[in-house]
Amino acid sequence: MLNQTSILRVISKLLIPPIMLFGLYVQFHGDFGPGGGFQAGVIFASAFILYALIFGVDNARKAAPAWLTRLMLASGVLLFGGVGVVSSLMGGGYLNYSVLANDVHAGQHLGITLIEFGVGLTVAGAMITIFLIFDGLLRAEEED
Amino acid sequence: MFSAAALAILVTMLLVLIRAYKGPTVYDRILAVNSFGTLTMLLISVYGFLTDRPEFLDITMVYALINFIGTIAVSKFVRFGDLAPPVPENDPGDI
Amino acid sequence: MAVTAYSLVRMHNLFAVVMLSGIYSLLAAVIYVVMDAVDVAFTEAAVGAGISTVLMLGTLALTTSMEKDAKMFSPLPLVIVTVTGALLIYATLDMPPYGDPTAPIHHHVAPHYIEKSAHEVGPPNIVTSILASYRGYDTLGETTVIFTAAAGVMALIGRSRRRKKKSDKSMPVEDS
Amino acid sequence: MIDGQLPILQVVLPLMMAPVTLILRNPRAAWMLTLVVTWATFTISLSLLMQVLDSGTIIYKIGGWAAPWGIEYVLDKVGAFVMVIVSGIGSIVLTYSRRSVEMEVPEDRIYLFYTMFLLCLTGLMGIVITGDVFNLFVFLEISSLSSYVLISLGKDRRALTAAFRYLIMGTIGATFYIIGVGLMYMMTGTLNMADLSALIPAVADTRTIQAALAFLTVGICLKLALFPLHLWLPNAYTYAPSVVTAFLASTATKVAVYVLIRIVFTVFGGVGVMEGLGVQHILMALALTAMFAASTIAIYQNNVKRLFAYSSVAQIGYIILGLSFVSESGVAAGIIHLFNHAIMKCAIFMGLGCVVLRIGGVTIKDMHGLGHRMPWTMGAIVLGGLSLIGIPMTVGFVSKWYLVRAALEKDMWFIAVLIVLSSLLAVIYVWRIVEAAYLKPVPENAAPVHEAPISMLLPLWVMALASIYFGLDATNTLSIALDAANALLHGGVL
Amino acid sequence: MEMLIDIASWVLLLGGSVFILIGAIGLIRLPDMFSRMHGAGIIDTMGALMLFAGMMLQAGLTMVSVKIFLIILFLMFTSPTTTHALARAALDAGQEPIRDDDPTDEIELALMRELEEERKRLSKT
Amino acid sequence: MDAFSGLFNYWIVVVLMMMGFYIVISQQNLIKKIVGLNVFQVSVFVFYISMGKIKGGSAPILADGIEIYSNPLPHVLILTAIVVGVATTALGLALTVRIKNAYGTIEEDEIEAMENTPSNKTPEATS
Amino acid sequence: MIHALSLGGALGILWLLLSGIFEAWLLALGFGSIIVIVIIANRMDVIDHEGHPIHISWRALLFWPWLAWEIVKANIDVAKVILHPKLPITPKVLHIKASQVTELGHVFYANSITLTPGTVTLKLINGAMDIHALTPSSIEGLLTGEMDRRVHDVEGMADGTVEVKKNV
Amino acid sequence: MSPETTIQAAMITPLVGAVLISFAGRWPNVRETITLVTAVIMFYLVASLYPHVMDGGRPSLVVGEMLPGLPIAFMVEPLGLLFALIASFLWIINSIYSIGYMRAHNEKKQTRFYVCFALALASSVAIAFAGNMLTLFVFYEALTISTYPLVTHAGSDKAKQGGRVYLGILLSTSIGLLFLAIVWTWMIAGTVDFTPGGILEGKASATVIGILLALYMFGIGKAALMPFHRWLPAAMVAPTPVSALLHAVAVVKAGVFTIVKVVVYIFGIDLLSVMANSDWLLYISGFTLLCASIVALRQDNLKRRLAYSTISQLSYVVMATAILAPLSIVGATLHIAAHAFGKITLFFAAGSIYTVSHKTEVSQLDGIGRRMPWTMGAFAIGALSMIGVPPTAGFISKWYILHGALDSGQILAVAVIILSTLLNAGYFLPIVYAAFFRKAQGEHGEAPLPIVIALTLTAAGTVLFFFFPGIFLELARQLI
């Protein structure tokens, strides 16, 4: 991408960090307002998609290599499941967060935050992966 | 008051939609969709005030965001995708 | 919305179709907001208008943006759809009217959430409480679905496409 | 303490291992892990079955929330039984899978194949065990999505279109299902099965509930490929990798049937609904059509996998027919056929997988003279085929016995005759293969062929012998099926 | 004061409504894609600004206002960017704006020639 | 008349659903099918959400001074369902891409035509 | 480094603005988030003067109101045209050289032009832009070069060191 | 060894044999020795049950429950023992014959042949000892399946065709009719155990009984009642030892055996004799009897002629059963045995002719008796037995049947028997005549030794049967 897209480039450089922050904000404020892990993941990923759109897939791949997205993808599920396992190990049922802390509320809160984070991780990972694959194919085709 | 605004927005949406349907080029549609997105943002915000629960502006933000990224993606797509719309390419380099 | 849907049927330019489906999704989101489902609207906005559209565009770029001309009109789908629709309309006849606070769904399970969730779980957003705690298991499933989709896309069109291409050529049709 | 957690472990174990295989990325390691997991689930489900048989239905509250508010797991006899089928087939197929997968799936996708396999297993287990109609939908989708991927991993390009068609029809089915669930929810306000079954009688006369039943049934029938809705199945089974075919053919549709049982008998309270609303007759008609139409189509197939795919459609007809009798022996016949058909189809498709491994194709022509070239493989396939026909000493006979009995009990003479006739159609298509394998000469230019590797033969024969064992000694399986049928018919207790 | 703010916000809201309507009409009436962009611009800028400002006034100094402010900020950054991106895409695809065919003055002609040369140069590289 | 207005909402939703459904089953183009599927599903979601709405209710986020909340449960369900929907879409699109690679077209009837020609020949040649 | 810090700071403010909740737990999360984002941004290589223009002076604060006013004027202008029964438009494409030094400046200028209805930046190449204008009056506004000057002012004394970097 | 263990052993022996044979496939001598040894052991085991049964013992054995309430059970009663005795004894002889035949023809896949043979025998014995209808059905089907590879042994298109007809008719009748009948019986009676006097008495209406009887009679396709007789001629493509197995040792015998067993133990003679609507069976079997004989007259292919003869002979048994007189039942039982010996002799002879001269048509057999005196001698004895001329086995059985028919006043049956005897003579005697009194063609000698031994033995058996019918007669009498 030559400097043809200078407008896009500059603006998106400006915007990407705030978008990511917004994503994380949504992630952690799901308790209070609308939103939660899923939406946060999507927003976070969309920041990344924007980056990939502007700076190209290759750069995007450098910033988020395959192993990283893969790890995000997997660890989100693992985190979610793990919270469940831990809670059942601690004597509650599966996904019974109340036992995670001394206080029911604190436990629930901790649990919810953790699993939402897991959701967010997976979703972000998934979205980035899917997008990059699609876009990567596109590039590959152009090269042909 | 807000309802008047909401009504105006709805009418506008309708007009914009007409453009989106009529085309005639892809770009007109994109333009229309983009405006439509803005209108949606406005509508949601206004509706929030209409029902006295204006806290949900986060949604509006998401819309703004998605609208932006969506349009960028779209225009990038029509620019670089190998599927330029069926426009006779008489002399592409000329303005 | 109906207009959007209708024109979706008629449109042949796939690109326009994708744009319209984006609009459709936006409209749906507005409706969600109107119906108090802010979380859902949030998600629909992000997903329907955003991710889906982008993905569809990617696919269009990889395939083609024009649909072939209309084929012969076949009545069968129309019949199926009419029957299904009629069945649904029939089903609506005994439904509680829209927005009726006395409808059964507002009296069996939901009140518990509304009244107790703050006490039992904590967060003021009831949707979050249900999503993450009461029905946390659904959410686990949901996460898994997303995981499945991503892994599936990886499996289908993931990298190392070059190699795949070769193998595609070497054995195009197995039993011919 | 672990004991109490078994039900959840059953689903969560494969679920959590799926990401691990994704991270591992090593085909062999992924296989090993998956193998361990599937056998573990099998063990667990066996012990759960014992537990259920001993002490009745197991209920597990997820997240510690009581039933209508949270999601609960309910494992009754039918569920435990189906779960044993699914995990058993899964573990056998997986033991068998390594070589076959290496051959049929691109190498760099193998670990993803196992990821998908685990997810599919998760989904199926989740469906079986859950006591919540919406949760069921979620797991249905997990299993469906992963099976779309699994199918499209086949090398033939037609696998792709097959998977796509499956995706479209499967999603329509799932959407119908949620429409149905929505309608039910609208009238009752709950999603819990037990709760629903308690609340539905009060509103059973409303048109909404009737429509809900219709939508649920159609949606599930799409998934289970009941006759006019089966269009996705033959191609999907034909072009999917053999392992996938073996697994899906013997589990996925079975689980869908299970869902139908759950909805119709547990949620809607069975007898009244079936008889009152004419569902019974519709299902019966469809099942009979399936049995005949699909078997007839099967006779004309040249691709053996496709042939057996159509035969699956026909066999699903048997199962549904059994259910549609709404009598104890009928439902028991359905359930037992569920089990039996899983075993025999698994054996057949695994056998075909061996053939693919060695010959490269499974058209009738490829099978020529195969009886002498791959005696063990063909032997197992023929055993499976005999079972399909319903020759005594095989599991197929047991199912047929009960089906006919159920028909006669209801004085449905005609249907008994039809059942018997349709199994004669099975003779024809099975015998086409037998003749090709044993009576046709080996093609002259055929390359020398070895018998399939022992790692594949062993699981194959375990299944083949199982189909004989359970044909000879069906008391255990039958008593479970009869118990389950009894429970389902009398109040549909979970 | 209360009253004043109310009136101000009403005016803003009404004005915004009028402007978005005008923008939409422009979107319909204007002859080609490039000129329509101006119509869309009205919606994005004036309309949105006024409406949001009206809402801000209603909300007073709360989180809501802050958020609206952020939204406006975001909009002001993105809206021209998207418009530009779109225009570029259209141009690159060979879409040409309708122009008044007789150039008003010499300067413009010269400018255009220059432009054309530059285009050619670019297309070579 | 009252019943009519109460149900009118649902009827619109039903019409929408059926349009989506019609697109899915009548269209030949694979992408359009997926779009149709989306429309179908989204309409179903709207149906769910409209179930949960209570007249005069408010979004189910607890706040002071608000008494009536709409039913949050459908929202939760639909959140999940949306995710499932997008997952399906992604997979469907990926499949479409593969199909395009393998066949060079994404029109169903053309694909069928391509499939039938060789596969009809093969058995004839063999038997 | 300084960019990273300032980005962190800006993000911190943003977080507080968005969140409005000052609980320790959430603040900690916010802090963590910011660190993560800075790291990612670093990876993405978007932290530089373009991505985070701290050097833009306070003059921006003066510029924006002016711009807003311009926008209003232009809006009314275009609105008139649109509502005019004859639709008296004379679309033209102009070529303009921007006087700003940095690309950031160009972008600012271009965006400001687009933001004012009646003119749209079609193309920006090394400070040379094509502008599509709807009416003669909107052209006039451009040809006076006032906006150009003002943006230049905002850009401030952009240092050449940064200038070199960006063309790499 | 207790009788129970003996039953077990008798059935397991051929299975073990089959396994051993398949392992010994590479060494023909070992393989054939095993076959013979197995056959002998099995015969010994079966025979050792004889005294026990004669003493009135009914040793039984329950292997396990196949379906709830439906065990796989065995019980030795006289009829079954008779059948088992015949089958196991003829297996020995047939094995000897097979060895000669198969070696002389250099047949391929001999191992499979012997394995399937052993399996078929195992099934036969299991059928013979079956304690209930389910068990019988199970092994009935096993017999069908295990003989299929034998029928299609040649692997040619013709063999395939024959195999199709064979399997098609046998499976469709058994699955289509017999199976239904069994399930239905079970539902009516709550059991399918073989019980003296029947299990249906007083449990079902006359119509139902009639339908059931029809289902059974036609469902037992192995009894080759018209119109389900076509599999027998079709199966003639098989090697001669297989034909012998089908016609004499196992398959058709299993069919008629099942019919007798069903009539006696499921319906009960008393039940049927008071029912007016069982007469049709008589007519059908009579019709089959005559028709098959007439068709046989017109066959030039020797084996086909024999096949049609079998069809008609089987109908003797069915008819004898249908007469429902105690004596005729005895006759039916005896005829199973008599026909077995006679027919195996005939087939052995046909095979022997084919082995040496490759002649298959009746018209080619002129003067062959001079070149192959042993063979044709045996053939003559067999033919006489078929006709029912003393001193052969056929006479005794026919005599009992006639007696029974006369006793119960079934004049029609008497007429049919007499007529068919004439027909039998009509299609057998010309062969014998031509073989011995026409001029010979071709140059060849007597058949290989094992073949000659085998057919001599069976011919001798046929004659001995006439003089010492005691063994079988006693058993048959116990039946009543």
Side-chain angles (χ1 to χ4, degrees), chain D residues 25-232:
Chain D
R25 301 197 68 184
N26 177 330
R28 186 62 73 88
W31 177 71
M32 287 294 288
L33 185 67
T34 315
L35 188 66
V36 171
V37 170
T38 48
W39 279 101
T41 46
F42 184 42
T43 325
I44 295 173
S45 45
L46 273 180
S47 76
L48 280 175
L49 180 65
M50 294 301 147
Q51 218 170 315
V52 171
L53 288 180
D54 276 357
S55 52
T57 307
I58 300 176
I59 291 180
Y60 184 94
K61 296 187 184 68
I62 295 167
W65 301 112
W69 298 287
I71 295 171
E72 64 174 3
Y73 266 0
V74 177
L75 194 64
D76 64 352
K77 281 176 188 146
V78 195
F81 189 52
V82 175
M83 202 154 81
V84 169
I85 299 175
V86 172
S87 59
I89 298 277
S91 47
I92 294 282
V93 166
L94 212 88
T95 318
Y96 157 97
S97 69
R98 194 173 59 85
R99 293 288 298 269
S100 178
V101 168
E102 277 171 9
M103 147 102 186
E104 290 182 42
V105 176
E107 202 204 335
D108 53 344
R109 308 279 148 113
I110 291 180
Y111 73 98
L112 283 169
F113 175 90
Y114 289 114
T115 312
M116 285 298 150
F117 189 92
L118 280 174
L119 287 171
C120 197
L121 189 67
T122 310
L124 295 176
M125 291 291 195
I127 295 173
V128 174
I129 203 172
T130 190
D132 186 286
V133 281
F134 194 82
N135 192 248
L136 195 150
F137 163 74
V138 174
F139 280 90
L140 191 70
E141 281 296 308
I142 295 178
S143 70
S144 310
L145 286 176
S146 46
S147 47
Y148 307 146
V149 178
L150 285 174
I151 288 168
S152 59
L153 280 174
K155 272 191 172 162
D156 194 308
R157 66 176 179 175
R158 274 171 282 183
L160 299 172
T161 41
F164 191 85
R165 181 173 293 169
Y166 186 16
L167 184 136
I168 295 291
M169 294 193 75
T171 312
I172 292 177
T175 314
F176 269 50
Y177 178 80
I178 46 172
I179 293 178
V181 168
L183 293 173
M184 284 200 300
Y185 175 63
M186 179 168 240
M187 299 312 287
T188 59
T190 182
L191 292 166
N192 184 277
M193 287 182 190
D195 215 15
L196 275 173
S197 70
L199 290 173
I200 275 190
V203 287
D205 293 336
T206 57
R207 286 167 276 202
T208 313
I209 290 294
Q210 291 166 8
L213 179 65
F215 273 94
L216 290 169
T217 314
V218 172
I220 298 165
C221 286
L222 262 168
K223 286 271 178 193
L224 63 76
L226 187 59
F227 178 64
L229 309 173
H230 71 286
L231 292 169
W232 58 269

Side-chain angles (χ1 to χ4, degrees), chain C residues 52-90:
Chain C
S52 295
T53 310
V54 170
L55 287 184
M56 283 190 189
L57 287 176
T59 317
L60 283 187
L62 289 166
T63 53
T64 171
S65 73
M66 285 304 289
E67 191 190 2
K68 296 286 157 33
D69 281 342
K71 315 294 155 5
M72 259 193 337
F73 174 79
S74 79
L76 183 65
L78 204 60
V79 172
I80 296 176
V81 166
T82 318
V83 169
T84 323
L87 182 58
L88 268 173
I89 300 279
Y90 172 77

Side-chain angles (χ1 to χ4, degrees), chain H residues 69-426:
Chain H
L70 280 173
I72 295 281
F74 299 98
M75 184 185 68
V76 185
E77 42 73 61
L79 186 60
L81 186 64
L82 179 92
F83 178 39
L85 272 176
I86 298 167
S88 57
F89 176 65
L90 290 183
W91 188 27
I92 305 176
I93 299 173
N94 202 347
S95 301
I96 302 173
Y97 182 80
S98 311
I99 294 165
Y101 184 90
M102 299 303 273
R103 289 194 171 186
H105 284 263
N106 281 325
E107 292 276 351
K108 17 172 215 173
K109 296 167 207 147
Q110 291 195 24
T111 310
R112 188 177 81 187
F113 175 86
Y114 288 111
V115 170
C116 289
F117 223 106
L119 289 178
L121 257 296
S123 314
S124 307
V125 175
I127 290 175
F129 290 164
N132 58 32
M133 202 54 215
L134 178 70
T135 316
L136 194 147
F137 182 64
V138 166
F139 290 102
Y140 181 92
E141 296 289 32
L143 182 60
T144 311
I145 304 286
S146 62
T147 45
Y148 172 78
L150 295 173
V151 171
T152 57
H153 186 85
S156 61
D157 276 352
K158 216 177 146 203
K160 195 169 79 182
Q161 206 60 41
R164 274 186 193 170
V165 176
Y166 178 75
L167 199 78
I169 291 183
L170 288 189
L171 274 188
S172 46
T173 50
S174 67
I175 292 180
L177 305 171
L178 184 54
F179 174 66
L180 271 182
I182 298 172
V183 179
W184 205 6
T185 311
W186 183 49
M187 282 183 51
I188 295 172
T191 174
V192 286
D193 287 348
F194 291 127
T195 318
I199 52 175
L200 288 169
E201 179 97 58
K203 294 200 173 131
S205 69
T207 331
V208 173
I209 298 279
I211 298 173
L212 263 184
L213 186 66
L215 283 177
Y216 272 116
M217 292 307 138
F218 290 111
I220 301 167
K222 288 199 169 90
L225 215 52
M226 275 183 185
F228 297 117
H229 66 285
R230 286 191 43 80
W231 62 272
L232 254 181
M236 281 303 109
V237 294
T240 309
V242 177
S243 304
L245 174 82
L246 296 179
H247 291 248
V249 182
V251 180
V252 297
K253 292 295 166 296
V256 287
F257 166 76
T258 311
I259 284 191
V260 176
K261 199 124 181 181
V262 165
V263 168
V264 175
Y265 290 114
I266 297 286
F267 289 97
I269 296 172
D270 297 341
L271 177 65
L272 285 183
S273 42
V274 296
M275 295 269 194
N277 53 10
S278 57
D279 279 352
W280 59 266
L281 183 59
L282 201 65
Y283 307 142
I284 291 273
S285 55
F287 174 75
T288 308
L289 211 166
L290 292 179
C291 259
S293 299
I294 291 164
V295 175
L297 260 179
R298 305 183 45 213
Q299 299 294 325
D300 191 35
N301 184 303
L302 179 56
K303 278 175 79 176
R304 284 183 78 86
R305 189 176 281 193
L306 292 179
Y308 277 102
S309 144
T310 305
I311 297 172
S312 87
Q313 296 288 331
L314 290 176
S315 288
Y316 274 109
V317 181
V318 179
M319 197 170 76
T321 318
I323 291 169
L324 295 170
L327 273 183
S328 67
I329 300 275
V330 172
T333 318
L334 286 180
H335 199 71
I336 293 177
H339 176 249
F341 278 96
K343 200 37 87 46
I344 201 169
T345 314
L346 289 172
F347 270 105
F348 280 174
S352 158
I353 293 167
Y354 178 67
T355 310
V356 181
S357 63
H358 291 280
K359 280 173 183 161
T360 54
E361 307 302 305
V362 173
S363 49
Q364 299 168 327
L365 298 182
D366 291 355
I368 204 161
R370 304 204 192 139
R371 303 199 178 276
M372 307 173 70
W374 287 99
T375 303
M376 285 321 287
F379 187 92
I381 294 171
L384 290 177
S385 175
M386 287 298 118
I387 302 165
V389 180
T392 53
F395 171 75
I396 296 186
S397 54
K398 271 196 186 172
W399 194 75
Y400 270 100
I401 297 173
L402 264 179
H403 206 91
L406 285 171
D407 272 3
S408 58
Q410 298 280 8
I411 304 303
L412 187 74
V414 178
V416 167
I417 291 171
I418 292 171
L419 191 57
S420 82
T421 306
L422 290 177
L423 285 169
N424 285 349

Side-chain angles (χ1 to χ4, degrees), chain E residues 38-100:
Chain E
H38 303 290
I42 294 186
I43 299 179
D44 277 2
T45 56
M46 203 60 192
L49 267 178
M50 286 176 82
L51 283 172
F52 278 128
M55 287 185 241
M56 270 171 90
L57 286 179
Q58 279 287 319
L61 246 178
T62 56
M63 283 302 296
V64 175
S65 285
V66 172
K67 279 183 186 167
I68 291 181
F69 175 73
L70 288 175
I71 291 170
I72 292 177
L73 206 63
F74 189 80
L75 204 59
M76 290 304 112
F77 274 107
T78 55
S79 136
T81 314
T82 49
T83 312
H84 167 76
L86 193 56
R88 271 309 292 272
L91 267 184
D92 280 12
Q95 283 282 2
E96 290 185 42
I98 295 177
R99 275 173 293 161
D100 229 344

